[in-house]
């Protein structure tokens, strides 16, 4: 039976389910949980920003935007599945490792076999690749280079990039110039605007901060497993300051782009994220708690810093999209 309620839940949070619950779920629900679909919102927003910028400039193709959105989301899903598979094969998720605590790790919890995960990843990857091939045929050789870069990050983010402190810079590049800039390029039919790169970074700092928060949450566990993420290399205090700096940078860069004329004044709507920012920054000014704070939701712990970074990113991203839509409507009128 199709469980639409679980679809909705899996798109908002990472559900914790027992083996019996899993066995009763439909295929789509299982795929959404296994791929950690709650984080796809960051990818959808990135594609939306690129598409809206192209529409603003009068260079728009609906079919190419749809293909880009599908390709990016399914590429993200493929990466998450391969991430879990790699960590499982390397023994990273054994012994109640961090990743297996805050949500189901399908392999470690016996929900999926290796063959099933490979099937999920193969189908997801094939959909992403098919979307990419369509866009290459529609827009040419530069798009082929973008597709090749995307394949590289899908296959090699988990290892070796994450293990040598390059995972976080990769996310900044992927969610910024590659996703937003790439979407703009293919949707506009091959047009390039240097301003789009700067606009893309205003959003890309958000997903990068989310990853930074996640890796800071599990810094000690990663260090014990010899996974040298950037927070492991620079230490918790510096990592927390980096997250705070990136969240502030999102606002400052957006304001600078408005002042320069690269973005219209409706983008000032992102200032409505300031209350969320002011509630978030104090969390990163003090050491991460060793045990769950009394008021912090039990179903989210042991993720902590990442939860605050993700909440701000979701608020900022929604306001950024709304600002672009308002700017587009005013521009057209």
């Amino acid at each position: 039976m199709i469980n639409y309620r679980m679809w909705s839940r899996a798109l908002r949070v990472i559900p914790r389910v027992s083996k019996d619950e899993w066995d009763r779920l439909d295929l789509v629900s299982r795929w959404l949980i296994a791929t950690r679909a709650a984080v796809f919102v960051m990818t959808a927003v990135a594609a939306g920003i690129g598409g809206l910028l192209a529409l603003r400039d009068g260079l728009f193709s609906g079919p190419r935007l749809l293909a880009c959105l599908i390709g990016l989301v399914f590429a993200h899903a493929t990466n998450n599945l391969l991430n879990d598979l790699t960590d499982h094969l390397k023994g990273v998720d054994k012994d109640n490792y961090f990743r297996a605590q805050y949500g189901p790790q399908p392999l470690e919890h016996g929900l999926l076999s290796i063959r099933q995960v490979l099937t999920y990843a193969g189908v997801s990857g094939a959909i992403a690749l098919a979307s990419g091939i369509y866009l290459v045929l529609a827009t040419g050789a530069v798009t082929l280079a973008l597709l090749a870069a995307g394949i590289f990050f899908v296959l090699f983010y988990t290892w070796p990039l994450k293990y040598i402190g390059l995972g976080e810079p990769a996310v900044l590049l992927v969610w910024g110039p590659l996703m937003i800039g790439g979407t703009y390029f293919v949707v506009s039919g091959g047009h390039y605007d240097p301003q789009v790169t700067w606009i893309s970074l205003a959003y890309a700092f958000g997903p990068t901060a989310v990853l930074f928060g996640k890796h800071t949450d599990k810094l000690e566990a990663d260090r014990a497993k010899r996974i040298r993420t950037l927070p492991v290399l620079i230490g918790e205090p510096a990592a927390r300051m980096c997250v705070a700096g990136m969240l502030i940078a999102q606002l400052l860069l957006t304001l600078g782009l408005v002042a320069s004329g690269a973005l219209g004044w409706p983008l000032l709507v992102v200032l409505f994220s300031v209350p969320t920012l002011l509630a978030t920054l104090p969390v990163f000014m003090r050491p991460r708690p060793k045990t769950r704070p009394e008021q912090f939701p039990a179903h989210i712990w042991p993720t902590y810093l990442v939860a605050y970074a993700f909440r701000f990113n979701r608020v900022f991203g929604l306001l950024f999209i709304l600002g672009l839509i308002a700017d587009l409507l005013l521009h057209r009128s």
Side-chain angles (χ1 to χ4, degrees):
M1 180 181 297
I2 297 177
N3 190 336
Y4 295 110
R5 182 173 297 180
M6 180 56 77
W7 291 15
S8 174
R9 185 183 171 198
L11 287 168
R12 291 181 287 108
V13 299
I14 300 176
R16 299 183 183 186
V17 295
S18 67
K19 182 65 166 63
D20 288 340
E21 291 173 314
W22 176 270
D23 290 340
R24 293 194 298 269
L25 290 175
D26 59 276
L27 181 61
V28 173
S29 294
R30 294 182 185 181
W31 182 84
L32 291 172
I33 294 172
T35 58
R36 303 194 292 283
V39 299
F40 291 168
V41 63
M42 296 188 293
T43 298
V45 168
I49 291 172
L52 285 170
L53 291 172
L55 183 58
R56 179 197 66 176
D57 294 344
L59 304 163
F60 184 77
S61 165
R64 289 200 293 268
L65 176 59
L66 180 61
C68 210
L69 176 62
I70 292 172
L72 290 175
V73 168
F74 277 89
H76 191 173
T78 306
N79 175 258
N80 284 351
L81 290 165
L82 294 178
N83 191 352
D84 283 356
L85 177 62
T86 301
D87 284 346
H88 173 75
L89 294 176
K90 292 178 72 67
V92 170
D93 287 334
K94 292 187 182 299
D95 303 322
N96 203 31
Y97 179 71
F98 188 93
R99 165 68 187 93
Q101 295 179 49
Y102 67 81
Q105 210 285 25
L107 287 165
E108 289 299 316
H109 295 155
L111 306 179
L112 291 173
S113 66
I114 291 177
R115 181 176 180 177
Q116 287 172 320
V117 170
L118 286 172
T119 300
Y120 276 39
V123 172
S124 300
I127 294 172
L129 183 60
S131 299
I133 291 173
Y134 162 75
L135 292 169
V136 169
L137 294 175
T139 55
V142 174
T143 305
L144 179 60
L146 294 172
L147 176 61
I151 292 173
F152 171 81
F153 286 115
V154 165
L155 295 178
F156 299 110
Y157 162 76
T158 303
W159 188 90
L161 298 180
K162 184 176 74 173
Y163 278 69
I164 56 175
L166 293 179
E168 295 81 8
V171 165
L172 182 65
L173 178 62
V174 168
W175 262 265
L178 191 56
M179 278 196 188
I180 297 177
T183 298
Y184 179 87
F185 180 85
V186 299
V187 171
S188 67
H191 184 72
Y192 171 72
D193 183 350
Q195 289 183 333
V196 173
T197 299
W198 291 105
I199 296 171
S200 76
L201 292 176
Y203 179 71
F205 278 123
T208 308
V210 170
L211 183 68
F212 236 97
K214 176 184 175 182
H215 287 173
T216 307
D217 275 333
K218 62 192 188 82
L219 187 152
E220 295 302 329
D222 277 343
R223 180 179 288 144
K225 297 282 186 175
R226 297 184 179 180
I227 302 173
R228 296 176 178 85
T229 63
L230 205 48
V232 169
L233 295 175
I234 66 177
E236 184 191 308
R240 287 188 282 105
M241 293 304 102
C242 282
V243 176
M246 284 186 281
L247 300 184
I248 294 171
Q250 287 189 273
L251 277 172
L252 294 181
L253 184 52
T254 303
L255 296 179
L257 289 165
V258 171
S260 71
L263 291 173
W265 65 263
L267 269 295
L268 293 177
V269 71
V270 298
L271 290 173
F272 283 105
S273 69
V274 169
T276 305
L277 179 65
L278 294 178
T280 301
L281 289 179
V283 174
F284 291 91
M285 296 297 109
R286 53 182 180 262
R288 181 187 184 277
K290 299 296 183 183
T291 58
R292 180 177 66 86
E294 185 177 350
Q295 301 302 320
F296 192 79
H299 70 279
I300 298 178
W301 185 264
T303 57
Y304 180 72
L305 299 176
V306 64
Y308 285 97
F310 185 72
R311 182 181 67 170
F312 176 78
N313 180 71
R314 187 163 50 188
V315 171
F316 179 89
L318 175 61
L319 290 170
F320 201 94
I321 287 285
L322 289 176
L324 285 174
I325 293 173
D327 188 33
L328 175 65
L329 294 176
L330 288 173
H331 182 75
R332 287 202 160 188
S333 65

